């Protein structure tokens, strides 16, 4: 996800086993500078200026004020919607123009005069609602000429800020939606509407809660910011580095250990990183060279890290920003804990799929795990399990119904306490202040992205475009659910190549998700649609928006991984998509069998689904890699993949057929496993 809860990637970039026993002398590990350069190359959100002198401190104090404002309102209560959101937006836009250059390769050591002007204008317009609140709320929807000018300026500032901090595609998409709002009467009949005047459009966008100051920016100004701060504090307490050490301790000695370390650590990193690219670089800076050293081909090594890191956004308990948006978009009394709980089984299946295929690839190549001499001191690692207390605390208190924003505050307090106990990191007042500043810095691109997404939502709501497109998708698919899902998948993947996950989810949840809901619950009013159906539709678009990061031809996470591995970006992307095949299957499983979301189901129903799905992933993984207990030929691969798909498909008869075929192929593998068995690199049998 490009515009989500992000891992800090400055001086805290991870050297996973620094000062540990693992041998590193023959591994080319990226320096912190190289990591940052690579992140900036593939992640627009990280492409910030590095200002020195007095402006460095002006920006530092401004970002600190941003965080303190957010903390104050989180603790003592928010201001009214217009004031809270406009101040949040004003802070975000102001510092986007001060920190993000107008061109990706522009100078990063100085701020040009026009960006000072833009920053000042952003600050003034951000305060406009606060200054004129009483008049604006009693104006009954009419705006003055000055209101119109300010609103128009805000729209332009949001578009430019999103372009700089998130990328050009999202700005282009928003502009197209604005043009559609104005020129709707000239559209084909199915999409036609009466059109909006410029006055009406500005009024909608900045003087209502249906546009820029709508739901997306509301979530950014509350839940997302709070968890950004939580992630920043986790980094300062050393939890990010500990995740990698814990992954080594758990998985390092297994067959093909380094790849499994990458999977395990990336899943853990997902709790503090919502950026696929940042996760790839910080975790992969060590794991990719280590995988290459122990025998994985460079394209495959990069793919393991890319696929695993991308999955961080679907990993409970703290998922990407789009998950927070899902709570607001669905409504119906759904809490964030409901979303996190529903994501548990899909996340397990996703990472299990990658784990299974890397295991079979390691067996096929005869790769070993790490030796005792290469392992860190595991006793010391287990002694530091207390570093996970903040995350465990958040999970527990959310289970008991504590509001999300308060959960994040308790997590921050726990981080501060844990930080003082961790003697391996320097933690004091300065680090607390730095965490507040880092959290605000990572919020800038989120504020710009959600404001831009608000433009899109406003147009969709005002013009009825969502219903028109949903009906078009259903008609195009001839009312068939699979074809509708397929078209939605393609749309989500295409949008994900150019828009961050947040904006992607906003667009697809307002346009494509209703098509799925209509087909699953025909002739049922919106308020009466079963919540499992609504959740399934939203999870479907959520998943495919995320895995666009590893889907060629524009696979940013895979491109970043190839920058570390030295492999081919497209080949790395292809391998990533292959390893993450579970992510292409699970959304369909969720729609066809919403019980995977663990809502209104029995334990045995869930257990049966998970067992058959896991066996299906084993079969699919073996078939894709071409190895199980021995190398398997093309015909065997096709049979095994077919059996796996049958077990993954949530239907009793297909499960039984798949299990029978799986059992037959399993016994054939066991009976013939010595055929073609070969020694590994140490001269011992792979099996």
């Amino acid at each position: 996800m490009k515009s989500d809860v992000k891992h800090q990637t400055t001086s805290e970039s991870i050297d996973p086993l620094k000062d540990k026993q693992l041998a590193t002398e023959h591994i080319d590990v990226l320096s912190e500078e190289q990591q940052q350069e690579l992140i900036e190359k593939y992640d627009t959100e990280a492409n910030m200026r590095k200002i020195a002198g007095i402006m460095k401190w002006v920006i530092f104090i401004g970002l600190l004020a941003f965080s303190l404002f957010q903390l104050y309102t989180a603790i003592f209560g928010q201001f009214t919607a217009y004031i809270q959101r406009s101040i949040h937006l004003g802070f975000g836009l102001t510092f986007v123009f001060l920190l993000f250059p107008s061109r990706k390769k522009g100078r990063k050591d100085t701020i040009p005069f026009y960006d000072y002007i833009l920053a000042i204008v952003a600050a003034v317009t951000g305060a406009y609602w606060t200054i004129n609140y009483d008049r604006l709320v009693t104006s009954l929807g009419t705006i003055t000429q000055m209101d119109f000018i300010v609103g128009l300026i805000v729209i332009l500032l949001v578009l430019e800020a999103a372009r700089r901090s998130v990328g050009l595609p999202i700005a282009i998409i928003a502009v197209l939606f604005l043009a559609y709002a104005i020129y709707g009467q000239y559209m084909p009949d199915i999409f036609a509407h009466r059109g909006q005047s410029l006055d009406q459009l500005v009024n909608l966008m900045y003087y209502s809660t249906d546009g820029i100051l709508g739901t997306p920016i509301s979530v950014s100004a509350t839940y997302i910011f709070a968890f950004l701060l939580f992630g920043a504090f986790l980094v300062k307490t050393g939890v990010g580095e500990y995740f990698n050490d814990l992954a080594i301790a758990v998985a390092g000695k297994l067959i093909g250990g380094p790849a499994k370390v990458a999977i395990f650590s990336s899943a853990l990193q997902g709790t503090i990183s919502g950026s696929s690219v940042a996760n790839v670089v910080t975790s992969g800076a060590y794991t990719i060279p280590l995988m290459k050293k122990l025998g994985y081909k460079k394209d495959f090594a990069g793919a393991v890290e890319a696929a695993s890191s991308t999955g961080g956004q679907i990993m409970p308990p703290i998922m990407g920003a789009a998950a927070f948006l899902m709570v607001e978009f669905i409504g119906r009394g759904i809490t964030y804990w409901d979303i996190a709980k529903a994501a548990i089984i899909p996340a397990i299946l996703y990472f299990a799929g990658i784990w299974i295929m890397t295991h079979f690839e390691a067996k096929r190549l005869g790769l070993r795990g790490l030796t005792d001499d290469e392992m860190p001191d595991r006793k010391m690692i287990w002694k530091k399990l207390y570093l996970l207390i903040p995350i465990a605390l958040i999970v527990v208190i959310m289970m008991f119904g504590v509001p999300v924003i308060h959960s994040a505050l308790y997590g921050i307090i726990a981080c501060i306490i844990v930080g003082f106990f961790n003697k391996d990191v320097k933690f004091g007042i300065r680090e607390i202040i730095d965490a507040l500043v880092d959290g605000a810095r990572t919020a800038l691109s989120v504020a710009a992205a959600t404001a831009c997404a608000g433009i899109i939502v406003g147009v969709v709501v005002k013009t009825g475009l969502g219903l028109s497109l949903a009906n078009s998708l259903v008609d195009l698919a001839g009312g068939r659910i699979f074809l509708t899902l397929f078209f939605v998948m393609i749309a989500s993947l295409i949008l994900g190549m150019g828009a961050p996950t947040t904006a992607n989810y906003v667009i697809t949840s307002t346009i494509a998700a209703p098509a799925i809901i209509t087909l699953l619950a025909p002739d049922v009013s919106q308020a009466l649609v079963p919540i499992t159906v609504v959740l399934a539709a939203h999870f479907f678009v959520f998943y495919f928006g995320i895995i666009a990061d590893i889907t060629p031809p524009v696979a940013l996470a895979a491109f970043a991984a190839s920058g570390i591995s030295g492999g081919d970006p497209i080949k790395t992307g292809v391998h990533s998509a292959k390893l993450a095949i579970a992510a292409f299957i699970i959304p369909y499983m969720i729609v066809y069998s919403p019980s995977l979301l663990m809502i209104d189901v029995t334990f045995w129903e869930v257990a049966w689904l998970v067992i058959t799905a896991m066996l299906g992933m084993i079969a699919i993984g073996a078939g894709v890699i071409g190895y199980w207990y021995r190398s398997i030929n093309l015909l065997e691969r096709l049979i095994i993949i077919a059996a796996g798909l049958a077990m993954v498909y949530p239907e009793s008869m297909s499960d039984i057929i798949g299990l029978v075929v799986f059992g037959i192929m399993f016994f054939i593998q066991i009976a013939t496993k010595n055929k073609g068995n070969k020694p590994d690199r140490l001269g011992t049998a792979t099996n």
Side-chain angles (χ1 to χ4, degrees):
M1 174 172 72
K2 287 148 271 203
S3 217
D4 289 305
V5 182
K6 295 192 66 177
H7 177 60
Q8 309 300 319
T9 54
T10 54
S11 59
E12 292 79 32
S13 293
I14 297 169
D15 181 1
L17 298 172
K18 186 178 181 181
D19 300 326
K20 299 293 190 293
Q21 297 176 11
L22 183 60
T24 62
E25 61 271 17
H26 300 301
I27 302 175
D28 297 323
V29 181
L30 294 184
S31 67
E32 292 178 3
E33 292 75 16
Q34 289 173 317
Q35 290 180 41
Q36 186 63 24
E37 182 180 343
L38 193 59
I39 291 172
E40 290 176 5
K41 181 178 179 180
Y42 294 107
D43 190 350
T44 305
E45 299 167 53
N47 188 38
M48 294 189 189
R49 293 181 175 120
K50 299 166 183 65
I51 305 299
I54 190 170
M55 276 309 298
K56 171 184 176 181
W57 294 106
V58 170
I59 292 171
F60 184 91
I61 293 170
L63 291 173
L64 179 61
F66 191 10
S67 278
L68 292 177
F69 166 76
Q70 293 290 155
L71 278 178
Y72 176 84
T73 56
I75 295 170
F76 298 105
Q78 297 176 26
F79 295 105
T80 60
Y82 287 114
I83 292 178
Q84 180 79 22
R85 299 172 193 181
S86 61
I87 292 177
H88 178 82
L89 178 63
F91 267 117
L93 295 181
T94 299
F95 290 103
V96 163
F97 292 119
L98 291 176
L99 285 172
F100 287 87
S102 59
R103 294 179 297 107
K104 189 171 184 178
K105 295 184 179 180
R107 289 187 61 180
K108 297 179 185 176
D109 59 348
T110 185
I111 303 173
F113 76 92
Y114 53 81
D115 278 348
Y116 282 115
I117 294 173
L118 289 173
I120 292 170
V121 172
V124 171
T125 54
Y128 192 76
W129 254 107
T130 303
I131 296 169
N132 298 279
Y133 178 76
D134 290 336
R135 177 180 63 81
L136 289 171
V137 295
T138 57
S139 64
L140 301 177
T142 59
I143 57 175
T144 66
Q145 186 68 23
M146 179 57 70
D147 295 338
F148 171 80
I149 293 172
V150 170
L152 185 60
I153 290 172
V154 170
I155 293 172
L156 296 175
L157 290 176
V158 166
L159 292 172
E160 172 60 10
R163 183 193 69 82
R164 292 189 185 199
S165 62
V166 184
L168 180 60
I170 186 176
I172 292 175
I173 292 170
V175 168
L176 291 175
F177 271 79
L178 288 171
Y180 171 75
I182 295 173
Y183 300 108
Q185 65 269 35
Y186 303 112
M187 296 292 117
D189 287 345
I190 190 172
F191 299 120
H193 64 92
R194 65 181 181 179
Q196 300 287 308
S197 69
L198 196 55
D199 277 4
Q200 290 173 320
L201 193 59
V202 169
N203 198 346
L204 170 70
M205 288 301 155
Y206 197 55
Y207 299 102
S208 77
T209 53
D210 289 327
I212 291 172
L213 300 182
T215 298
I217 198 75
S218 170
V219 177
S220 174
T222 51
Y223 311 134
I224 295 176
F225 197 100
F227 274 94
L228 286 168
L229 284 180
F230 175 65
F233 274 92
L234 277 177
V235 171
K236 291 296 181 183
T237 59
V239 172
E241 183 174 341
Y242 179 69
F243 281 156
N244 290 272
D245 292 351
L246 182 61
I248 290 282
V250 171
K253 297 187 72 173
L254 301 176
I255 293 174
K260 292 171 181 175
V261 167
I263 298 167
F264 194 79
S265 70
S266 295
L268 292 174
Q269 290 287 353
T271 61
I272 59 175
S273 172
S275 168
S276 302
V277 172
N279 202 350
V280 164
V281 176
T282 51
S283 297
Y286 189 86
T287 58
I288 290 174
L290 185 57
M291 280 187 271
K292 288 171 62 181
K293 178 189 174 185
L294 294 188
Y296 282 102
K297 294 179 180 178
K298 54 189 178 183
D299 293 329
F300 191 87
V304 171
E305 184 60 52
S308 304
S309 293
T310 299
Q313 297 179 62
I314 62 173
M315 186 66 187
I318 305 168
M319 301 157 68
F324 293 99
L325 284 167
M326 197 183 298
V327 176
E328 297 298 317
F329 275 39
I330 292 177
R332 305 274 295 274
I334 284 288
T335 65
Y336 182 77
W337 174 245
D338 293 325
I339 301 295
K341 183 177 69 173
I344 291 174
I345 293 177
I348 291 172
L349 291 176
Y350 176 83
F351 283 103
I354 302 173
W355 185 287
I356 288 163
M357 280 193 268
T358 55
H359 177 76
F360 287 142
E361 178 71 2
K363 290 179 68 176
R364 187 180 72 83
L365 296 175
L367 304 183
R368 63 175 175 86
L370 301 176
T371 64
D372 288 333
D373 292 337
E374 293 171 322
M375 291 289 290
D377 185 347
R378 285 190 283 182
K379 289 183 179 179
M380 291 299 297
I381 292 174
W382 297 123
K383 286 181 180 179
K384 294 175 70 174
L385 275 173
Y386 67 87
L387 290 174
L388 302 182
I389 288 175
I391 297 172
L393 176 66
I394 279 186
V395 174
V396 171
I397 61 180
M398 281 200 300
M399 286 175 62
F400 283 97
V402 174
V404 173
I405 195 166
H406 293 158
S407 300
L409 292 176
Y410 290 131
I412 290 170
I413 294 170
C415 284
I416 294 172
I417 295 171
V418 166
F420 285 121
F421 280 96
N422 186 6
K423 303 304 180 184
D424 291 340
V425 297
K426 182 182 177 182
F427 192 85
I429 299 300
R430 177 55 192 264
E431 284 66 39
I432 291 174
I433 294 173
D434 284 345
L436 291 171
V437 172
D438 289 343
R441 186 180 288 111
T442 58
L444 301 180
S445 57
V446 179
T450 50
C452 198
I455 292 175
I456 297 166
V457 172
V459 172
V460 169
V461 171
K462 188 67 176 178
T463 63
L465 178 62
L467 181 60
S468 299
L469 283 175
N471 290 335
S472 298
L473 276 174
V474 173
D475 291 341
L476 183 63
R480 286 167 287 191
I481 183 65
F482 180 81
L483 275 181
T484 301
L485 294 176
F486 179 78
F487 292 143
V488 171
M489 175 188 76
I490 297 300
S492 300
L493 290 174
I494 292 173
L495 284 169
M497 293 175 187
T501 307
T502 307
N504 185 329
Y505 170 73
V506 168
I507 298 169
T508 53
S509 64
T510 53
I511 293 175
I516 300 174
I517 294 171
T518 299
L519 281 177
L520 294 179
D523 304 321
V524 177
S525 67
Q526 186 69 27
L528 298 178
V529 175
I531 193 62
T532 51
V533 171
V534 179
L535 266 177
H538 282 260
F539 263 88
F540 188 90
V541 299
F542 174 61
Y543 261 61
F544 281 114
I546 288 171
I547 60 174
D549 273 351
I550 52 172
T551 305
V554 184
L556 294 180
F559 277 49
S562 68
I564 301 173
S565 69
D568 179 85
I570 297 298
K571 289 182 180 178
T572 302
V574 171
H575 281 299
S576 299
K578 182 173 70 174
L579 286 171
I581 191 170
F584 292 90
I585 297 173
I586 292 168
Y588 287 89
M589 291 177 61
I590 291 173
V591 171
Y592 282 107
S593 183
S595 52
L596 274 177
L597 302 177
M598 292 196 296
I599 296 178
D600 298 329
V601 291
T602 66
F603 169 80
W604 296 112
E605 288 175 325
V606 173
W608 176 255
L609 276 170
V610 172
I611 290 170
T612 54
M614 197 68 75
L615 290 175
M617 291 311 305
I618 291 173
I620 291 170
V624 170
I625 297 299
Y627 195 96
W628 197 349
Y629 285 90
R630 60 168 173 79
S631 296
I632 50 181
N633 60 43
L634 179 59
L635 178 60
E636 290 175 314
R637 293 173 72 171
L638 293 175
I639 293 173
I640 291 173
I641 290 174
L645 291 173
M647 286 185 287
V648 164
Y649 185 76
E651 196 270 328
S652 298
M653 184 55 66
S654 69
D655 286 343
I656 293 171
I657 294 172
L659 283 169
V660 170
V661 177
F662 179 87
I664 293 171
M665 297 305 295
F666 173 78
F667 284 114
I668 291 174
Q669 284 284 306
I670 293 294
T672 60
K673 68 177 182 177
N674 292 323
K675 178 183 177 182
N677 203 22
K678 60 182 180 180
D680 66 11
R681 297 175 184 276
L682 299 179
T684 58
T686 58
N687 294 300

